[in-house]
Amino acid sequence: MNPAEELKQKLPAAVVSTGMQLNKPMAVIKKEELLNAAKKVKEMGFDHLSVITGTDYNDHFEVVYNFFSYEKKQNLVLKVITDHDNPEVDSLTSLWKGADWLERETYDLVGIKFTGHPNLIRILLPDGWVGHPLRKDYDMNTEQFVTMGEGGEDVVSTDGGNLLRRK
Amino acid sequence: MDPVTIDTTKIKTVKKKPVTALEKLEDTGLISTVLAAREREGLILFSTVDQIFNWARLSSLWPVTSGLACCAIEMMAVAMAHHDIARFGMEIFRASPRQADLMFVAGTVTKRMAPRVKQLYEMMPEPKWVIAVGSCASTGGPYHESYAVLKGVDLIIPVDVYIPGCPPRPEAWLYGVIQLREKIKNEGYGAKWGLNK
């Protein structure tokens, strides 16, 4: 039995459906039951949370968690579907320390809010950047520039006047 | 069987080997007015200050140590023994922009890195030159459509030589360096008066 089916047997209320994604067992989890399911996943021996990604499907977001078990050499993928207006899921930082930066990256580029995260700020783009670039509705026509403030901090603006040689 | 005899008078020497300091200087092709001095048996050397300066500048270009992406790996290959950038007197990659007069922009200039690159350029003393290496530094390259990458470093600082490639091979890199040397040779009043020929 693959770990996704095993998870469905243990928590039938949390798992919506199971399947395969790129030869990895995949389970779609209800948004409210994510923390419970994650606890169970950790008990099953998945000690490594390798990647968190977010995907924009125009009408909803998918948050994808990739787990790996060093002991059993198994993969497991969890998916959570959120609504498009206010994408918000529970943070997994209490279970895997590595979720900290992965969730910050997903927040930075896709704009998914992780409730319970200790320090949910942008990780790659500077503070003050407008929009989340991996969303489908991101405005690619207005170019944003970064300049340095007096203390060396990043200042985001759209004109880039003191950076470019000519406008 | 007759021994083969070689008539040494028929052999032409291709080039006379320079012996005196003046002849060596002439051999570099940098100082053109040596001829005038020759007539005075090497006692006087006519030139312009610009030509002497240009010769000194292009003979010891010191690059600033900065690499932004994978092109910097090629920069290391250029600096190592096989391609040996020391032949051009530029093996000293200075760790401070204050002591450098050449900047290789080797790699992708991201929006967040752009003000730092500009500040690095402004910290270098005059005269200074910039070589944009690779398609990223020249135009943005494969990231031209990206929200986070500057579309060419020439948007923020003036560039003297562009080296295409992704990343350019060390041979291309050396060719770009030679082009910059040609450019420096042709700067100033000496070139204006046709003395660099």
Side-chain angles (χ1 to χ4, degrees):
Chain A
M1 193 196 303
N2 73 33
E5 299 288 341
E6 198 182 327
L7 187 67
K8 191 175 186 180
Q9 255 187 9
K10 283 179 180 165
L11 289 173
V15 179
V16 179
S17 65
T18 59
M20 299 293 281
Q21 166 153 325
L22 298 173
N23 298 325
K24 293 175 186 174
M26 183 265 290
V28 181
I29 307 289
K30 276 183 195 160
K31 198 173 86 172
E32 302 78 27
E33 296 285 327
L34 175 66
L35 262 180
N36 284 336
K39 267 177 205 155
K40 191 62 81 181
V41 163
K42 190 158 193 191
E43 282 168 19
M44 283 160 64
F46 288 94
D47 44 2
H48 178 51
L49 171 58
S50 53
V51 174
I52 300 176
T53 49
T55 317
D56 188 354
Y57 285 99
N58 285 322
D59 56 339
H60 65 277
F61 283 104
E62 264 182 14
V63 189
V64 186
Y65 299 85
N66 285 262
F67 297 99
F68 185 72
S69 167
Y70 280 106
E71 194 184 329
K72 301 178 190 166
K73 311 287 183 216
Q74 276 178 336
N75 285 296
L76 176 63
V77 178
L78 292 192
K79 270 189 188 178
V80 179
I81 295 168
T82 70
D83 58 329
H84 196 276
D85 296 330
N86 189 23
E88 206 168 316
V89 292
D90 287 326
S91 170
L92 299 189
T93 43
S94 54
L95 296 166
W96 289 272
K97 287 278 184 198
D100 189 327
W101 281 14
L102 298 173
E103 286 176 354
R104 275 177 65 187
E105 187 189 1
T106 313
Y107 164 72
D108 189 356
L109 300 178
V110 195
I112 289 166
K113 290 186 185 68
F114 293 89
T115 45
H117 191 287
N119 184 29
L120 195 64
I121 54 172
R122 287 182 186 273
I123 188 167
L124 295 169
L125 295 169
D127 292 332
W129 195 273
V130 180
H132 303 282
L134 293 191
R135 285 194 181 189
K136 300 284 186 205
D137 57 358
Y138 179 73
D139 183 12
M140 287 294 284
N141 295 319
T142 46
E143 201 172 6
Q144 297 178 55
F145 294 100
V146 182
T147 50
M148 269 198 293
E150 285 182 8
E153 76 279 5
D154 293 311
V155 180
V156 182
S157 64
T158 48
D159 67 335
N162 51 2
L163 181 71
L164 301 179
R165 289 167 66 206
R166 60 185 90 87
K167 287 183 192 174
Chain B
M1 202 186 205
D2 291 336
V4 181
T5 55
I6 301 170
D7 188 3
T8 49
T9 56
K10 283 187 180 169
I11 296 175
K12 265 197 295 188
T13 49
V14 178
K15 200 173 180 186
K16 199 186 152 205
K17 208 181 170 202
V19 181
T20 63
L22 205 61
E23 280 169 355
K24 280 178 186 165
L25 200 60
E26 196 183 3
D27 192 51
T28 60
L30 297 165
I31 312 294
S32 59
T33 45
V34 174
L35 269 179
R38 251 187 155 179
E39 292 160 7
R40 309 287 298 258
E41 292 171 357
L43 294 173
I44 305 169
L45 172 66
F46 290 107
S47 181
T48 59
V49 174
D50 279 336
Q51 275 181 295
I52 300 287
F53 277 12
N54 288 348
W55 177 49
R57 279 167 183 164
L58 70 87
S59 303
S60 66
L61 284 168
W62 285 0
V64 61
T65 313
S66 80
L68 300 178
C70 38
C71 283
I73 308 296
E74 296 295 310
M75 182 162 72
M76 295 167 207
V78 172
M80 285 296 113
H82 192 93
H83 295 283
D84 196 13
I85 209 169
R87 289 177 291 163
F88 305 110
M90 50 197 297
E91 74 276 18
I92 312 176
F93 279 83
R94 302 310 296 184
S96 163
R98 309 267 187 222
Q99 301 164 353
D101 45 15
L102 170 64
M103 184 155 88
F104 288 120
V105 182
T108 319
V109 187
T110 56
K111 289 273 176 60
R112 213 170 175 180
M113 196 66 197
R116 277 87 183 175
V117 171
K118 188 172 175 132
Q119 194 184 45
L120 209 57
Y121 175 77
E122 283 166 355
M123 282 163 82
M124 284 160 58
E126 294 275 0
K128 51 191 172 183
W129 295 275
V130 176
I131 297 184
V133 181
S135 48
C136 287
S138 303
T139 65
Y143 311 108
H144 189 265
E145 303 283 319
S146 170
Y147 55 90
V149 173
L150 208 68
K151 292 162 183 57
V153 76
D154 53 359
L155 289 173
I156 55 169
I157 55 176
V159 175
D160 294 285
V161 175
Y162 299 84
I163 305 177
C166 189
R169 285 190 59 82
E171 292 88 340
W173 199 297
L174 293 178
Y175 183 73
V177 168
I178 292 166
Q179 293 302 305
L180 181 68
R181 285 163 65 91
E182 286 291 321
K183 180 171 180 173
I184 297 172
K185 200 200 276 185
N186 293 326
E187 276 176 357
Y189 279 104
K192 215 182 213 175
W193 298 337
L195 294 179
N196 59 332
K197 297 291 184 314

